[in-house]
Amino acid sequence: MTDRGYRWLGWLWLASLALCALWLGWMLRQGLPADTDLTALLPADRQAPLVEKADRELGRGFENRFLLLLGDDERVPTTQALGRSLQRLVDEGQLAGVDWRELDLADADPHGWMGQWRYRLLTPQWQQAIDTDGGSTLVEPALRRLFSPTARPEPVADPFGLLDAWLSRLPRSPIGAADGLLTLDAEGRQWSVLIGELKGSPYDLPMQNALHSALERFQQQHPDAELLRSGLVFHAAAGARQAKREMSTIGAASLLGVLLVIGFVFRSPRVLLQLMVPLLAGSLFALTLTLGIFGRLHLLTLAFGASLIGIAVDYVLHLQCDRVIDGRQFRLRRLMPSLTLGLISSVIAYVAQALTPMPGLRQMAAFAAFGLIGAWLTVVLWLPRFTLHASPFTARLATRWWRLCQPRWRLSPWLALAGALVLATFCGLRLTSDDSLELLNPSPAALMQDEQRVQQLLDRDTGSRYFLVRAADTQSLLTRLDMLDGSLDRAIADGLQVEYQSLAGSVPTMAEQQANLARVRKLYGAPLDALVERAGLPATVADEARARLQQAPPLTLAEWLETPLGSLQQRLWLGKTDDGGVAATVVISGARDARTDATLSTLADSPPKVEYSDRVSRIGGLLGELRRHTALWVAAAMALMTLALLWRYRGRAWRVVVPPFGATLIVLTAFAVGGVPLNIFNQLGLLLILGIGLDAGIFNVEHARKPAAWLAITLSTLTSLLAFGMLAFSATPALHYLGLTCLIGLASVWALVPWVRPEAGHSTPRRESEHV
Amino acid sequence: MPFRRWWITLLLLVPLSAQAFDLDDLQRQLAATPSLAGSFEQQRELADLDSSLSSQGTFLFERGKRVVWQLEQPVEERIELTPQAITDGSGENAPPGGEQVAQLFLQLLEGDWQALESRFTLALSGDRDDWQVALTPKEAALRERIAEIHLRGSDTIDHLDMRTPDGDRLKVRLFDQHPLNDS
């Protein structure tokens, strides 16, 4: 290429970057459209978009609200203090509302709005009582009820107390009222309940900070009060605080380490700046194109993608080491084959992933591939044009370091193959995998304990296990729900340790409501006359009561969901489905073990055929799928790369692949020995190892006799170790596993390179470095 | 000896009657009888009904512990109210909200003004031999269920009168009350 053509390409690239910046600015004019929800990374469950909807409905309360339980000897004043400080947050606009006083939750009396439907709602016991003998056994209890000082008798509207019997069967909130406060009586203690409603996202930082400091202040002023927290906002806040903390410890240590190493080797701050330029250009290119293609970006894509662009440090360091050491003799052309091969091999690995059906992987792969290409173009087109202050120290260091690292003997291909087979066999036998949801959960143990206590005290489920029931219309849905409830009741009677919530428990089918009304008519015959007479009431009361039956409207599902009690069950109702039917969930709580799960799955398979979904194991399954997909595609990419390398290097190809593949095997063996299960995050770390290892292998073979190459390989593994290996000390499981993989893998890459370096042959490194 | 203590308490209370009689005095006066037994007559007038529901029976009251309400006419039923629970003869579940009604009933019979004051405005009139306390709910939600409660008595509570906004009325007369000495 002519010098003019090269310059022209450089300006063209700069112009494209400027365009990228403009486009990105335009796309970000309303903030970064980022997903934080992990499920957004997983493929949309094509068979069951309804399952996702159910998950969203059931999880809504946990996301938009938080719940505090407060236990204290001086409960009333303490709760008032906390309630008022939360109320201040509402006044400041941070929260949408907070309920803690008795009246905050006082729904109108159910007798008021349920009354009209009572003649069509009968509990199974009452149905049986009326079917057996017309209901004469119900007279005595009704009489007692009429005269109890604490009951509220309605001799005309409801002499038998149909409504109270019905209401007492509905699941009741364990939250009651005492001392004017929302109160939970549990484990022999009174807890105050404070329920906060969020205005927007639980990830909103100013709101998190305001809430956190309000609660901190409260706990300082009331050190004896026991405060239990539940809600996504607390977990999100803990995650944000932890990220901030680690940024200032692990992050600062990494940065300082990289600065020291680069500063020590190059003795020039300019090299540092030039190190950053390609990375920034690559990130800009990647962010713009990925956002342009996908429309949205997941935060995890951003984090891992940016990490993968770190591979581009290789290109910079190889180029700079060469320039510093060769001085005027430096020719880009000599480096081009290795740089190009390095880029192509890494990009192949990512393109392979971009073909997977996993949107999360596709995004991440696209981001990393664009980033590498952008960084590579910057390195090749612009870096040689920047002036570089070459310190003679760097060249001396390279030579000394080169001599120091001459291995006593070298690996033979057969020994390498044998070693690989042994390690692979061992991994095959011992390596386990873990796809549990906990990996994604960065919450501290104390918060998880709080969460569990609250769930336990409230006897509340998180809505993670449910049956999904569909039907053509509401009536057949209720029928199917009713059938499912029947099977559940029988299973529970047989010892299944669960409870369930179902809409059919609240709204009987039209047929049953009709039958109930007929039963009530029967009850309002002789039994009613007997009741009125024994109560000493005039006989006209019975007639008036009977007249009420003329107007007994049926209870529909829509009407029920509108009532205050029904709104508590709103989350069970999924409404219209895409195929024109309707759907609802039946939420399961209680025992969680393999046997229970098996029983529930069997129930789902027997009529009426429904779908059983366990969100925890389902997401675990999806994570596992993500992990297996990555592994499969990476293995395919490795095979493809090996072919490409064989084509160029022939008999020396094994020397190129030993660092990346050997390091991968060493990491896996270390995990197998240490009992660390394989998960999606350490696999993503392996991608980084493969990229850096492959670059090291290529340069090691292409420039076998150049101390500059070995210095660059050392520097690139060391800086990557500092940047990513340090993450092993993170408390966030995802980052910890990524870091651990990088720590072991990068060290292995570096250690393996000298053993597979081609023999010096006729030319010695000393002679080559004499040019300097 | 309980009998002597009873008299000493009474003697101590005498000079106080000359001054303004307040809720604290009344509480002390009621607390002097830790447990008692007697008879009751209950009459419930319902707005949409011309006649009323009348019942009678006996009761047993142990301060801070429980009230046993023994219905005798027109139906037999034993209801026991404690601060924690309400149980009736059949062991049936109390209807929703029943616990709160029971708790209120217990607080009224005890004259537990501190507890009642958090939800009601209290007005005391009369003197220690014939006093009246009127209770009106403070909060709107409670006003939807209770309009007004009147208590009347002397050494013990003799009358309870509760009105609801929809015109229902519960009247309870306690009589033949005698302290129990075995507690």
Side-chain angles (χ1 to χ4, degrees), chain A residues 323-343:
Chain A
R323 284 177 73 199
V324 168
I325 292 166
D326 287 358
R328 286 176 191 286
Q329 266 83 44
F330 169 78
R331 291 289 175 274
L332 181 62
R333 207 174 306 132
R334 269 199 311 225
L335 269 182
M336 273 311 271
S338 3
L339 283 177
T340 315
L341 206 59
L343 175 73

Side-chain angles (χ1 to χ4, degrees), chain A residues 109-131:
Chain A
D109 186 358
H111 292 81
W113 37 260
M114 283 296 289
Q116 51 173 329
W117 298 306
R118 65 183 105 193
Y119 311 110
R120 289 174 183 264
L121 305 173
L122 284 180
T123 66
Q125 290 88 342
W126 282 53
Q127 289 174 344
Q128 211 188 345
I130 299 172
D131 291 345

Side-chain angles (χ1 to χ4, degrees), chain A residues 30-74:
Chain A
Q30 271 151 3
L32 182 68
D35 293 315
T36 45
D37 179 12
L38 241 139
T39 44
L41 267 181
L42 306 167
D45 224 342
R46 268 175 224 89
Q47 296 85 38
L50 209 53
V51 173
E52 311 241 313
K53 187 174 178 189
D55 280 346
R56 270 200 306 282
E57 281 299 322
L58 296 174
R60 191 157 286 163
F62 183 66
E63 271 171 33
N64 302 343
R65 258 177 301 205
F66 65 85
L67 192 141
L68 298 169
L69 289 185
L70 177 66
D72 192 43
D73 297 335
E74 293 286 322

Side-chain angles (χ1 to χ4, degrees), chain A residues 253-324:
Chain A
S254 298
L255 189 65
L256 196 70
V258 172
L259 289 180
L260 279 176
V261 169
I262 301 292
F264 172 74
V265 173
F266 292 102
R267 312 258 148 157
S268 152
R270 194 173 285 160
V271 177
L272 264 177
L273 280 177
Q274 291 174 4
L275 190 69
M276 297 309 297
V277 169
L279 295 186
L280 290 177
S283 303
L284 171 66
F285 190 59
L287 191 58
T288 313
L289 289 191
T290 318
L291 212 52
I293 292 173
F294 291 93
R296 303 185 62 79
L297 208 57
H298 198 282
L299 275 188
L300 216 61
T301 307
L302 207 59
F304 282 110
S307 309
L308 290 173
I309 293 180
I311 297 175
V313 170
D314 278 352
Y315 314 142
V316 187
L317 286 172
H318 277 290
L319 190 91
Q320 299 290 52
C321 282
D322 250 39
R323 284 177 73 199
V324 168

Side-chain angles (χ1 to χ4, degrees), chain A residues 527-547:
Chain A
L528 180 61
D529 288 329
L531 176 64
V532 168
E533 197 212 313
R534 287 186 58 189
L537 292 167
T540 51
V541 172
D543 297 332
E544 282 175 56
R546 280 185 201 112

Side-chain angles (χ1 to χ4, degrees), chain A residues 148-491:
Chain A
S148 161
T150 59
R152 283 180 301 168
E154 297 169 280
V156 174
D158 194 357
F160 286 94
L162 299 168
L163 185 58
D164 279 343
W166 174 257
L167 287 175
S168 68
R169 201 175 131 265
L170 289 183
R172 244 183 290 166
S173 164
I175 300 173
D179 306 322
L181 303 173
L182 294 185
T183 306
L184 173 73
D185 262 309
E187 295 177 3
R189 188 172 181 187
Q190 282 194 323
W191 298 84
S192 297
V193 183
L194 299 98
I195 302 167
E197 182 112 16
L198 301 186
K199 231 175 176 168
S201 156
Y203 294 96
D204 178 31
L205 274 178
M207 178 273 298
Q208 281 180 2
N209 290 337
L211 181 60
H212 180 70
S213 57
L215 293 182
E216 286 282 280
R217 224 176 309 126
F218 169 79
Q219 290 223 286
Q220 272 164 19
Q221 284 159 5
H222 305 88
D224 294 332
E226 192 178 353
L227 189 65
L228 300 179
R229 280 169 266 210
S230 162
L232 187 58
V233 59
F234 297 118
H235 296 267
R241 274 200 306 285
Q242 185 166 294
K244 211 187 269 174
R245 204 163 43 235
E246 289 183 351
M247 201 100 85
S248 60
T249 53
I250 302 178
S254 298
L255 189 65
L256 196 70
V258 172
L259 289 180
L260 279 176
V261 169
I262 301 292
F264 172 74
V265 173
F266 292 102
R267 312 258 148 157
S268 152
R270 194 173 285 160
V271 177
L272 264 177
L273 280 177
Q274 291 174 4
L275 190 69
M276 297 309 297
V277 169
L279 295 186
L280 290 177
S283 303
L284 171 66
F285 190 59
L287 191 58
T288 313
L289 289 191
T290 318
L291 212 52
I293 292 173
F294 291 93
R296 303 185 62 79
L297 208 57
H298 198 282
L299 275 188
L300 216 61
T301 307
L302 207 59
F304 282 110
S307 309
L308 290 173
I309 293 180
I311 297 175
V313 170
D314 278 352
Y315 314 142
V316 187
L317 286 172
H318 277 290
L319 190 91
Q320 299 290 52
C321 282
D322 250 39
R323 284 177 73 199
V324 168
I325 292 166
D326 287 358
R328 286 176 191 286
Q329 266 83 44
F330 169 78
R331 291 289 175 274
L332 181 62
R333 207 174 306 132
R334 269 199 311 225
L335 269 182
M336 273 311 271
S338 3
L339 283 177
T340 315
L341 206 59
L343 175 73
I344 291 176
S345 56
S346 299
V347 170
I348 285 179
Y350 297 131
V351 167
Q353 279 184 68
L355 298 173
T356 65
M358 299 274 174
L361 278 187
R362 285 219 302 261
Q363 257 192 27
M364 227 177 276
F367 192 93
F370 287 133
L372 281 187
I373 293 171
W376 188 87
L377 283 172
T378 316
V379 167
V380 169
L381 294 175
W382 275 97
L383 226 51
R385 297 166 71 167
F386 294 147
T387 52
L388 186 68
H389 165 76
S391 161
F393 172 82
T394 315
R396 279 206 306 277
L397 181 76
T399 318
R400 207 175 302 155
W401 180 240
W402 165 265
R403 275 202 219 120
L404 206 65
C405 300
Q406 288 303 320
R408 273 163 219 273
W409 53 273
R410 278 156 214 263
L411 206 58
S412 78
W414 299 114
L415 194 63
L417 189 65
L421 283 177
V422 170
L423 293 185
T425 319
F426 186 75
C427 291
L429 290 176
R430 288 287 303 275
L431 201 59
T432 54
S433 61
D434 175 14
D435 302 314
S436 64
L437 202 55
E438 267 108 74
L439 282 173
L440 304 174
N441 188 351
S443 294
L447 195 54
M448 288 312 288
Q449 271 168 11
D450 269 19
E451 193 67 60
Q452 273 169 10
R453 278 287 314 276
V454 171
Q455 310 283 2
Q456 180 194 336
L457 288 171
L458 275 178
D459 197 16
R460 191 171 71 161
D461 67 280
T462 46
S464 66
R465 284 183 299 172
Y466 53 86
F467 290 102
L468 185 66
V469 186
R470 306 149 186 264
D473 54 57
T474 313
Q475 278 314 307
S476 46
L477 180 72
L478 287 174
T479 312
R480 285 168 66 82
L481 284 171
D482 196 45
M483 272 171 82
L484 176 64
D485 292 358
S487 333
L488 273 168
D489 285 337
R490 279 189 296 278

